[in-house]
Amino acid sequence: MSSRNPQRTGFLFALPALLALALLIVYPLLHTAALSAMDDSGRYVGSRNYERIVASSVTLAALWNTFYYVGASLVLQMTIGAAVGIMLNQKFRARGLARSLILVPWIVPGIVAATTWAWMFHSEFGIVNYMLQTAGVVDGPVGWLTSPQLVLPSLIAVNVWKMFPFVAVMVLAGLQAVPDSRYEAARMDGANFMDEVRYVMIPHLRPILFAITLLLLIWGLNGITLIYAMTKGGPANRSLITPIQIYKQAFEFFRFGEAAALSVMFFGVVLVLIAIYIWLLGRRSET
Amino acid sequence: MAALGQRSRLIYLPVSLAVATSLFPFAWMALSSIKTLRELYTVPPAWLPQAPTFVNYWKVLTESNIPRYFLNSLVISTGSTVIAIALAIFAAYGFARFRFAGKAWCEAFVLIGQLLPTAAIIVPLYIVLGKLGLANTWLGLILVYLILTLPLSVWMLIGYFSAIPVELEEAAIVDGASRVGVLTRITLPLSLPGIVAVVIYAFVTTWNEFIFALCLATDSRAKTLPIGLSEFSTEFNTDWGAVMAASMLMTLPVIAMFLAMQRLFIDGLTAGATKG
């Protein structure tokens, strides 16, 4: 497009937003890095904060919980979400209504999801225990959020409930871009429904599935709300994930230096994931 | 076609199951919010309220800080959305219509902003807001929420602007319109559906946000609804009826907004993923 000085004009348009982001993101990041090498009175202490964090047994446990929580959530969100997306792509009556209703968990604020599920998981008055007891699945009331073994699986279930609609909608959008001729060709070859899923839908969806996976991964690594509101990382740190550990170091124990050191390490890990994402995204648009 | 017909009847079972799973917690929240305390705390739980009551809502609206937090949430979400959209319109237009040195880097920077772990910057934000006197203020949270809304808005709008034929704008420029004139009089009206989708997304994101508010709004001048809700339920003796009523009050605006603009919202959301 012709313009007197397109080089400068484009940049000038983008400049205010870039400046705002730099102030809101780059500056705090640099500040985090600086804090991570200081004690609470602002004196330089080198790597002492890092050593303390790495030496703490909580750090490793939280890291393990993070991988477990994010990994299991991701697998279930993708599987269930893709299945529901494929299902919603079929022709049936009231399809539009089903598509909107299914999105409710994703629209509901995270804190509302957390409190509602906490109420449903209530060991004495909760509806979950009542339903499972009626169905004969469990003998007595189960402490879903208080049992060390059950707390993470319970939280994962809530997280899957919250996010599978997002996957379903994205998969649905992807499927609607598949030309009908592809299905017709497959049916001519005698393909049944599962063959269509395998040979027509999945190959077509691959780029979208890939993008969603990384988005969910990063959101999962950020996702404090559900866990913090339901268990605060308990019982006995059994549901403590790294972002909550950062929050607790800073705002419960007021160890800003250690919180910053942990933030830097956590950011490093997430940055690697983002770099892979952008790299693969770039490769995808080139081909 | 016979196979398809058969399939379409079979599909109602899984569809009903998925819809029921999605809606059940929301329905349970609604039912619990109109139950009396006695009914909430009975074993076994009653499915339907025997004597529906709005006493929980009355309690939330008159005896708690929720109305104040509702106002805070409204001002902060609106403020942040307006600023984000204004900045994003210009940035996205610059990215969609011009080539300039370092453009790829600038775009990557915006994307990183969207994917940044918030936990990594929360401590400095807390310190800096305190120093600037912006802790516990509407303005402080409005600015902080740009971190969440701005990158996303830029990213979604680039897609919309790119889809508008360049020829329309070129014609206007030939007729002597300025760049900003082209943007406001041609590009914006044509991408109105996209703008609406981005506005909803930005508003809902800030309305729902919890962690920034938890750390940066520590008194009732700036606390938002999510914080109010967590305070209800962290007290030793949780009043679940009030919690569910407050949850309903907090959820209904976003659900209503979403249902009203659903088509636009979903199209806007999925545009990026399917076109990329």
Side-chain angles (χ1 to χ4, degrees):
Chain A
M1 238 184 127
S2 64
S3 181
R4 261 176 315 237
N5 195 343
Q7 272 279 347
R8 257 208 13 230
T9 319
F11 183 68
L12 285 179
F13 270 110
L15 192 61
L18 292 172
L19 276 179
L21 285 178
L23 279 174
L24 288 164
I25 292 173
V26 178
Y27 176 73
L29 275 179
L30 295 175
H31 201 163
T32 309
L35 276 177
S36 73
M38 289 179 197
D39 68 11
D40 292 332
S41 51
R43 261 194 310 269
Y44 177 78
V45 292
S47 60
R48 202 182 68 195
N49 289 324
Y50 289 87
E51 285 156 20
R52 281 200 186 154
I53 279 293
V54 172
S56 160
S57 62
V58 174
T59 307
L60 193 65
L63 195 65
W64 165 245
N65 288 340
T66 310
F67 280 122
Y68 178 24
Y69 176 73
V70 175
S73 296
L74 193 62
V75 171
L76 292 168
Q77 284 159 351
M78 290 303 288
T79 328
I80 297 173
V84 172
I86 289 174
M87 188 177 87
L88 291 177
N89 191 44
Q90 308 305 308
K91 290 193 181 69
F92 58 89
R93 231 185 293 172
R95 180 166 72 163
L97 184 68
R99 283 179 185 170
S100 351
L101 292 181
I102 214 133
L103 273 170
V104 165
W106 188 56
I107 305 296
V108 163
I111 183 75
V112 168
T115 46
T116 305
W117 278 94
W119 169 233
M120 286 166 55
F121 277 144
H122 198 287
S123 50
E124 224 180 320
F125 308 110
I127 192 72
V128 173
N129 273 335
Y130 175 61
M131 286 197 292
L132 290 178
Q133 276 173 274
T134 312
V137 180
V138 294
D139 297 329
V142 176
W144 299 99
L145 300 176
T146 49
S147 145
Q149 282 77 37
L150 289 175
V151 63
L152 266 182
S154 305
L155 290 166
I156 289 166
V158 179
N159 194 22
V160 172
W161 171 83
K162 184 98 179 63
M163 294 308 289
F164 89 86
F166 171 73
V167 182
V169 168
M170 297 305 251
V171 165
L172 182 57
L175 287 176
Q176 288 180 332
V178 180
D180 281 342
S181 57
R182 299 281 284 277
Y183 293 109
E184 282 156 21
R187 271 175 217 155
M188 296 256 257
D189 293 339
N192 61 26
F193 181 65
M194 285 323 285
D195 293 331
E196 279 177 27
V197 170
R198 213 171 136 198
Y199 299 109
V200 180
M201 298 183 195
I202 302 279
H204 190 91
L205 287 174
R206 200 161 283 147
I208 293 182
L209 291 177
F210 176 76
I212 311 171
T213 305
L214 278 148
L215 264 183
L216 285 176
L217 179 65
I218 286 154
W219 286 345
L221 289 170
N222 267 331
I224 303 180
T225 308
L226 284 183
I227 299 188
Y228 184 81
M230 290 172 84
T231 66
K232 290 208 163 46
N237 289 341
R238 286 304 280 268
S239 65
L240 187 83
I241 61 169
T242 305
I244 295 183
Q245 191 191 356
I246 294 174
Y247 171 82
K248 286 193 159 183
Q249 286 290 336
F251 297 100
E252 278 180 21
F253 311 129
F254 297 102
R255 294 196 191 120
F256 286 158
E258 285 174 37
L262 189 58
S263 301
V264 170
M265 290 190 278
F266 185 61
F267 183 63
V269 173
V270 178
L271 200 64
V272 171
L273 297 172
I274 295 175
I276 296 173
Y277 179 60
I278 291 178
W279 178 66
L280 288 166
L281 209 68
R283 253 179 32 144
R284 192 153 65 82
S285 57
E286 271 164 33
T287 52
Chain B
M1 283 328 270
L4 200 71
Q6 211 175 25
R7 194 191 289 168
S8 70
R9 232 166 295 132
L10 269 177
I11 196 114
Y12 287 108
L13 185 69
V15 167
S16 319
L17 190 70
V19 170
T21 311
S22 294
L23 288 188
F24 183 75
F26 185 68
W28 194 243
M29 179 208 309
L31 287 173
S32 300
S33 74
I34 52 170
K35 283 180 182 172
T36 58
L37 269 187
R38 239 186 71 204
E39 225 171 353
L40 284 168
Y41 298 108
T42 47
V43 180
W47 284 102
L48 293 172
Q50 290 301 310
T53 166
F54 284 98
V55 70
N56 294 318
Y57 288 90
W58 183 249
K59 216 186 294 173
V60 166
L61 290 174
T62 59
E63 292 168 24
S64 76
N65 274 331
I66 290 289
R68 168 72 203 196
Y69 296 166
F70 199 98
L71 175 71
N72 290 343
S73 272
L74 198 62
V75 171
I76 291 165
S77 302
T78 310
S80 199
T81 303
V82 168
I83 299 178
I85 297 295
L87 292 176
I89 284 173
F90 284 103
Y93 190 71
F95 285 131
R97 284 288 185 258
F98 299 92
R99 292 176 175 276
F100 54 89
K103 189 174 112 171
W105 285 103
C106 294
E107 286 180 317
F109 172 61
V110 174
L111 185 63
I112 290 177
Q114 188 181 330
L115 304 175
L116 182 88
T118 48
I121 54 168
I122 201 114
V123 175
L125 282 177
Y126 173 79
I127 297 171
V128 171
L129 280 189
K131 277 187 190 158
L132 294 175
L134 289 176
N136 289 313
T137 63
W138 286 345
L139 183 63
L141 279 179
I142 286 175
L143 292 177
V144 163
Y145 280 146
L146 289 179
I147 296 173
L148 300 178
T149 50
L150 184 51
L152 199 118
S153 307
V154 174
W155 213 246
M156 282 169 77
L157 285 178
I158 291 177
Y160 273 97
F161 293 164
S162 306
I164 293 171
V166 181
E167 290 75 19
L168 289 173
E169 297 183 5
E170 279 171 344
I173 288 176
V174 169
D175 290 343
S178 72
R179 264 294 167 195
V180 176
V182 169
L183 174 59
T184 51
R185 271 180 285 154
I186 296 178
T187 318
L188 282 187
L190 285 175
S191 44
L192 204 59
I195 308 260
V196 173
V198 177
V199 166
I200 298 173
Y201 195 105
F203 188 89
V204 173
T205 306
T206 44
W207 182 268
N208 291 356
E209 203 282 337
F210 177 68
I211 290 300
F212 278 152
L214 181 69
C215 300
L216 305 175
T218 47
D219 73 40
S220 59
R221 277 175 301 161
K223 276 184 185 175
T224 55
L225 276 175
I227 308 307
L229 192 55
S230 76
E231 282 171 356
F232 262 117
S233 50
T234 49
E235 279 162 26
F236 177 68
N237 223 338
T238 304
D239 181 346
W240 284 105
V243 171
M244 291 301 116
S247 298
M248 284 298 286
L249 290 172
M250 181 179 170
T251 310
L252 286 177
V254 285
I255 297 266
M257 201 174 185
F258 166 74
L259 288 179
M261 316 269 191
Q262 204 218 117
R263 200 60 258 160
L264 286 175
F265 179 71
I266 293 178
D267 288 348
L269 181 75
T270 48
T274 44
K275 280 175 196 145

